[in-house]
């Protein structure tokens, strides 16, 4: 059983790489709830009002995906539950959640992570794959994808939100020690449109998985 989780800022390329990995490794892909997410557009319209609700929504959906993923053999998840806290605390720091909401959320997340530990013999993912992109690349990709409510034209204050989110990922990744990890340079490798880049990225990930397998034997 192999569990891979993707991590990275908005537009980094997590979903694209998830699809490629699932195909390459012949595993099932689990995607974050975006198109069917009723709260996401509300959050972008009024973050002050909906930051807490959105976070609970995502946490619930992620928990659901993890439960389904763990009952399966091999799988790839397009965003890790470990980034939830990063996203929520950024919003809390921006004054979009009060102290009680932060307390309730932190406690719920801790509880859920403990519950995941007890769900399966597989307690941690085999590998966390962080797709790192520069701030400029992040903006370029968000624009390329074109989700209306994520565009700077829709809300110019998103510029600062995105900038801060992207910069927090570096510290987050450095400190991450829950399972083996690898960083993919999403600026350097255009793995969506360039076949050679795609092959190189998949090779890096497969080499890391081999290295981990060697360490475990
Ligand atoms: N390495 C890459 N090279 C070129 N385009 C990319 C790359 N990664 C992602 N994209 C494009 O950027 C946009 C966002 O990618 P996506 O996979 O949806 O990101 P995420 O899931 O991290 O939010 C999509 O239009 C995708 O085609
Ligand atoms: N406030 C939060 N927003 C989140 C969280 N997880 C995802 N998102 C947002 C960010 C994007 O607009 C969209 C999809 O994310 P991608 O990175 O896959 O593009 O959902 C969260 O936990 N909190």
């Amino acid at each position: 059983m192999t569990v891979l989780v993707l991590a990275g800022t908005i537009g980094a390329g997590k979903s694209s790489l998830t699809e490629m990995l699932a195909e390459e490794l012949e595993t099932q892909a689990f995607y974050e709830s975006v198109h069917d997410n009723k709260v996401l557009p509300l959050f972008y319209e009024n973050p002050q009002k909906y930051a807490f609700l959105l976070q609970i929504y995502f946490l619930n959906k992620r928990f659901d995906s993890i439960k389904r993923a763990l009952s399966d053999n091999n799988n790839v998840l397009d965003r890790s539950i470990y980034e939830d806290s990063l996203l929520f605390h950024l919003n809390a720091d921006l004054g979009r959640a009060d102290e009680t909401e932060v307390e309730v959320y932190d406690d719920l997340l801790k509880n859920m992570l403990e519950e995941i530990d007890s769900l399966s013999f597989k307690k941690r993912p085999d590998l966390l794959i962080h797709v790192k992109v520069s701030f400029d690349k992040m903006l370029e990709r968000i624009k390329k994808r074109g989700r209306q409510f994520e565009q700077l034209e829709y809300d110019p204050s998103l510029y600062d939100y995105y900038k801060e989110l992207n910069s927090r990922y570096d510290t987050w990744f450095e400190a991450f020690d829950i399972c083996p990890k690898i960083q993919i340079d999403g600026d350097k490798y255009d793995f969506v449109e360039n076949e050679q880049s795609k092959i190189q990225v998949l090779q890096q990930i497969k080499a890391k998985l081999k290295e981990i397998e060697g360490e475990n034997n």
Side-chain angles (χ1 to χ4, degrees):
M1 179 181 192
T2 305
V3 177
L4 306 181
V5 290
L6 275 290
T9 191
I10 304 167
K14 301 179 297 298
S15 306
S16 310
L17 190 52
T18 295
E19 193 183 341
M20 287 169 198
L21 276 166
E23 197 185 337
E24 179 72 15
L25 304 173
E26 294 177 3
T27 63
Q28 199 184 336
F30 290 84
Y31 296 99
E32 202 168 36
S33 159
V34 174
H35 305 295
D36 59 340
N37 187 329
K38 279 186 270 184
V39 190
L40 194 58
L42 297 176
F43 166 77
Y44 279 93
E45 220 170 272
N46 188 346
Q48 203 71 28
K49 184 169 175 190
Y50 290 104
F52 183 70
L53 179 62
L54 178 65
Q55 213 57 48
I56 298 294
Y57 179 95
F58 269 123
L59 187 55
N60 187 37
K61 291 283 179 191
R62 278 196 238 290
F63 190 64
D64 215 40
S65 295
I66 292 168
K67 275 198 305 186
R68 283 189 292 130
L70 288 177
S71 67
D72 207 25
N73 235 351
N74 301 315
N75 47 68
V76 192
L77 289 99
D78 92 331
R79 178 175 246 131
S80 78
I81 196 167
Y82 309 115
E83 292 156 271
D84 265 61
S85 187
L86 164 72
L87 281 144
F88 183 55
H89 278 268
L90 166 60
N91 279 284
D93 292 346
L94 294 171
R96 297 166 175 178
D98 65 27
E99 226 173 276
T100 310
E101 286 171 326
V102 172
E103 249 172 57
V104 169
Y105 180 79
D106 286 350
D107 209 34
L108 180 62
L109 180 61
K110 186 170 159 272
N111 242 324
M112 283 188 161
L113 289 171
E114 282 169 8
E115 193 59 28
I116 290 166
D117 269 4
S118 68
L119 278 178
S120 149
F121 69 91
K122 170 78 73 183
K123 299 198 183 308
R124 302 278 188 270
D126 293 279
L127 182 63
L128 176 127
I129 302 159
H130 176 220
V131 186
K132 180 181 162 61
V133 288
S134 63
F135 178 55
D136 285 347
K137 199 51 95 179
M138 174 186 181
L139 294 184
E140 189 185 309
R141 300 251 164 93
I142 289 171
K143 196 169 184 172
K144 181 180 174 196
R145 184 171 55 199
R147 271 183 213 139
Q148 196 236 337
F149 51 75
E150 291 175 349
Q151 304 307 310
L152 297 181
E153 293 78 17
Y154 177 81
D155 175 4
S157 78
L158 286 171
Y159 183 92
D160 291 340
Y161 178 64
Y162 290 158
K163 191 164 191 167
E164 182 59 22
L165 178 63
N166 198 35
S167 78
R168 287 192 187 197
Y169 261 97
D170 290 336
T171 329
W172 176 84
F173 181 73
E174 279 299 310
F176 182 84
D177 61 0
I178 290 169
C179 67
K181 59 187 180 181
I182 184 174
Q183 200 160 52
I184 298 297
D185 187 337
D187 279 19
K188 182 172 168 189
Y189 297 105
D190 177 352
F191 50 77
V192 170
E193 278 162 25
N194 183 311
E195 187 60 23
Q196 201 49 37
S197 290
K198 175 180 162 182
I199 292 168
Q200 283 172 311
V201 166
L202 291 175
Q203 266 168 358
Q204 286 174 31
I205 295 168
K206 284 198 273 186
K208 183 72 185 177
L209 283 171
K210 230 181 188 160
E211 182 193 312
I212 297 164
E213 210 180 284
E215 284 165 7
N216 291 340
N217 290 330

